[in-house]
């Protein structure tokens, strides 16, 4: 999931938009996630302005927007669906289970051909279940290796390009007394992200994209975690907190305090570090023989439920949501990456988006979680629970990855 901070539960009832042409307005209910870190920049303000602009030209549809924190939003939607009160639209973290249960409209039933064609191809593909797109990407991000420029300068280091250089840099940082030479967050909060970035850097991943199956215990992945266990964790280069107990949020906070030499991060870490006066650089994740060509990508999803039968109205509103100026406004407001090619082109060239350029460059070739598989939710939870044990004292990467593969295969069979 893309990073979020605030915890609001505010419902805004906004009036008058539509495509029906009838006298009785249709009401669309949208549940959305909050990307802000305070009431002042809550996503509620974004949706308020967007709906107000839409309603001026569409007097026959009302749009009710409820904004919740990421802690609550997926649960809220599930509760609504379970109670047979599904919203018309939901902007949340996962769609596959609802698609499998035949509760969603397809993108082609909703969107104009232009809107569909504008999505970045790998994001549109990640929104598909068995070749049919149900999840419409709404926000995205990629991961890069962040490094503390001051700590690197003090140690006479250049940013690493290979695993060997990363290890050497971590050893030098440790010798200088850096608390976390390389922060390796494999705790339960977001272990699946750190894991995937490392698997990609070793030439592997969660799935074999050609065969379309899980490949968690493939030799490349075992080799990657063997290296992590022996060369980083085993050499005491990851800091005082065991990776299985270190969460992403805690690693990020330590970086903003100047206690981390290197870690994988996404765009929101930039502002947090800048606010604390930490000077940082960003480079592609080092690989075994050179910089990783494929970064990990993440997307959050928009979906439309069929229960209320408002495909025409929902589709017209979504065409507006995905207009270039609206995608650009949202992306810039929250330092997120755009999900459409026209806006990616704009941001890749604009001076005001220069700070996002490394992430933007990584997006077109990024690889996303296998979110189109209904099995992914269970596999994801199992990775968070177990992967830290692969690098723990006495742990065995091949055994842990094998157990994860067995669980993934079992869940896949049950789909």
């Amino acid at each position: 999931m893309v990073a979020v901070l605030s915890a609001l539960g505010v419902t805004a009832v906004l009036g008058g938009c539509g495509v029906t042409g009838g006298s009785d307005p249709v009401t669309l209910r949208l549940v959305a996630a909050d990307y802000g870190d305070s009431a002042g920049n809550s996503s509620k303000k974004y949706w308020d302005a967007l709906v107000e602009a839409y309603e001026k030209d569409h007097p026959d549809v009302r749009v009710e927007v409820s904004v919740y924190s990421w802690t609550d939003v997926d649960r809220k939607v599930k509760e609504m669906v379970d109670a047979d009160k599904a919203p018309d639209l939901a902007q949340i973290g996962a769609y596959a289970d609802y698609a499998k249960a035949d509760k969603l409209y397809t993108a082609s039933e909703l969107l104009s051909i232009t809107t569909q064609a504008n999505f970045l191809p790998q994001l549109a593909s990640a929104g598909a279940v068995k070749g049919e797109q149900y999840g419409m990407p709404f926000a995205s991000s990629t991961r890069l290796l962040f490094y503390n420029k001051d700590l690197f300068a003090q140690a006479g280091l250049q940013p690493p390009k290979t695993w060997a250089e990363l290890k050497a840099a971590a050893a030098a940082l440790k010798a200088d007394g850096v608390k976390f030479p390389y922060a390796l967050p494999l705790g339960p909060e977001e272990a699946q992200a750190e894991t995937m970035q490392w698997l990609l850097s070793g030439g592997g991943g969660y799935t074999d994209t050609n065969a379309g199956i899980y490949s968690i215990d493939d030799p490349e992945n075992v080799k990657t975690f063997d290296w992590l266990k022996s060369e980083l964790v085993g050499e005491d280069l990851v800091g005082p907190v065991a990776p299985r107990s270190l969460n992403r949020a805690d690693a990020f906070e330590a970086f903003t305090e100047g206690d981390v030499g290197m870690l994988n991060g996404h765009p929101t870490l930039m502002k947090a570090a800048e606010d604390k006066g930490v000077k940082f650089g960003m480079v592609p994740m080092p690989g075994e023989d050179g910089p990783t060509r494929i970064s990990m990508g993440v997307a959050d999803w928009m979906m439309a439920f069929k229960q209320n039968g408002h495909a025409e109205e929902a589709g017209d509103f979504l065409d507006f949501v995905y207009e270039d100026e609206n995608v650009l406004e949202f992306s810039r407001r929250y330092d997120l990456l755009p999900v459409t090619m026209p806006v990616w082109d704009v941001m890749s060239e604009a001076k005001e988006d220069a700070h996002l350029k490394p992430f933007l460059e990584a997006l077109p070739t990024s690889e996303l979680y296998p979110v189109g598989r209904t099995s992914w939710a269970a596999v994801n939870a199992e990775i968070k629970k177990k992967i830290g044990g692969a690098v723990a004292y006495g742990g065995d990467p091949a055994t842990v990855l094998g157990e994860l593969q067995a669980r993934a295969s079992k869940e896949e069979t049950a789909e």
Side-chain angles (χ1 to χ4, degrees), residues 11 70 77-78 119 121 152 195 197 249 312 361 364 382 388 398 400:
T11 299
W70 276 104
V77 171
K78 185 178 186 302
F119 288 131
F152 265 60
T195 298
Q197 190 65 52
E312 181 182 0
E361 290 176 342
E382 196 74 358
V400 173

Side-chain angles (χ1 to χ4, degrees), residues 4-173:
V4 292
L5 299 171
S6 65
L8 300 179
V10 184
T11 299
V13 180
L14 304 166
C17 328
V19 296
T20 63
S23 57
D24 296 328
V26 168
T27 298
L28 295 177
R29 291 179 298 155
L30 165 64
V31 176
D34 198 341
Y35 290 82
D37 58 7
S38 67
N41 72 344
S42 168
S43 294
K44 178 182 180 298
K45 291 192 172 184
Y46 173 79
W47 287 110
D48 282 356
L50 192 74
V51 171
E52 182 179 359
Y54 181 77
E55 75 179 61
K56 289 180 180 178
D57 296 322
H58 302 81
D60 299 328
V61 175
R62 296 170 57 87
V63 181
E64 298 178 355
V65 183
S66 301
V67 177
Y68 297 97
S69 75
W70 276 104
T71 304
D72 299 321
V73 68
D74 288 277
R75 175 178 55 81
K76 289 285 187 181
V77 171
K78 185 178 186 302
E79 289 173 352
M80 295 171 73
V81 173
D82 289 347
D84 290 326
K85 297 179 180 179
D88 297 284
L89 299 164
Q91 185 269 298
I92 53 178
Y95 65 86
D97 285 347
Y98 298 125
K100 181 182 179 181
D102 194 30
K103 294 183 180 294
L104 302 180
Y105 288 113
T106 65
S108 60
E109 291 175 305
L110 299 163
L111 304 177
S112 69
I113 293 174
T114 299
T115 300
Q116 291 183 72
N118 281 346
F119 288 131
L120 284 156
Q122 82 278 22
L123 299 182
S125 295
V129 175
K130 298 181 179 179
E132 190 72 65
Q133 185 180 357
Y134 294 89
M136 292 158 280
F138 183 76
S140 66
S141 73
T142 53
R143 299 291 193 269
L144 294 171
L145 183 75
F146 282 66
Y147 65 95
N148 185 306
K149 285 187 173 181
D150 288 337
L151 297 180
F152 265 60
Q154 291 168 17
L157 298 170
Q158 295 297 318
K161 297 180 180 180
T162 66
W163 288 354
E165 290 177 2
L166 187 149
K167 178 185 175 182
L173 292 166

Side-chain angles (χ1 to χ4, degrees), residues 370-390:
V371 290
R373 300 168 182 265
T374 55
S375 58
W376 172 242
V379 175
N380 180 27
E382 196 74 358
I383 291 168
K384 292 179 179 181
K385 179 181 177 182
K386 289 188 172 181
I387 196 63

Side-chain angles (χ1 to χ4, degrees), residues 56-57 67 85 101 139 141 154 177 203 235 241 284 289 297 325 328 359 369 381:
K56 289 180 180 178
D57 296 322
V67 177
K85 297 179 180 179
S141 73
Q154 291 168 17
E235 296 294 328
V241 181
D289 301 313
E325 63 184 32
L328 184 62
F359 295 99
Y369 300 130

